[in-house]
Structures are given as structure tokens and as C-alpha cells.
Amino acid sequence: MNGKGGFTMEWSVIFQLIDPRLFMVVAACWVIGYVLKQTPKVPNWSIVYLVIVVSILLTTGLIGWSVENIIQGILAGAFAVFGHQAVKQTAEAIATRKK
């Protein structure tokens, strides 16, 4: 629990949820999400879904097809989206604070 009464999740807990072999999938999904964001014809709302689908495909291609691996793919894609949003919103908060 953090000092404001809310809950925070330790990064170590998140890292334990994702198979270590999939950190390259997370990195690839982060890059793919960035490229999609820069593509004018791709609507912003669809990027998260595309990243998740790519993540599932990369995961099942890398470690095999199973229900657990599909869940791992979803987690890897979600982790990529979460990581991007955390960096983006932190940068925006810092920029706002400097004004």
C-alpha cells in the first residue's frame, strides 16, 4: 500500500507473472505499438488490440501453443502497453510540473 491509501504493485511481482523468455516479445510489442501510433491510418483505439494480437502470435510462435502461453502473450502485450503509458504519462507530468 502506498502512502495515499491506494495500492501499488511491485515491479518484481509483474516480472514474476511473465515468462522471462518473453521480455523480447514485450520489447518488440513496444516498438510495434510505437510504429502503429506513428501510422496515420491506424486509429488510436485499435493499437492496443493489434499489439495484443501480435504479442499472442509471437508468444505462441516462440514457446508453443497452449492456453497458458496465450495468457502469457496477453500479459506480455499488456505489459508493453502499460510500460509505454507509464513512461508517456510520467514525461507529461514532468513537463507539466516544469511550466
Side-chain angles (χ1 to χ4, degrees), residues 14-90:
I14 294 172
F15 283 123
Q16 290 173 2
L17 294 174
I18 299 174
D19 186 316
R21 297 176 289 180
L22 299 181
F23 289 130
M24 68 176 109
V25 172
V26 172
C29 286
W30 198 324
V31 171
I32 290 166
Y34 176 80
V35 170
L36 290 172
K37 181 73 174 165
Q38 303 306 313
T39 306
K41 293 191 179 203
V42 177
N44 286 339
W45 63 265
S46 69
I47 294 172
V48 67
Y49 300 109
L50 294 170
V51 167
I52 296 292
V53 168
V54 168
S55 178
I56 292 169
L57 293 173
L58 289 173
T59 298
T60 56
L62 184 65
I63 60 177
W65 183 260
S66 73
V67 173
E68 181 180 349
N69 291 347
I70 291 171
I71 293 169
Q72 284 289 310
I74 293 168
L75 287 172
F79 189 59
V81 172
F82 170 77
H84 172 265
Q85 285 298 309
V87 169
K88 176 185 166 192
Q89 298 209 11
T90 300

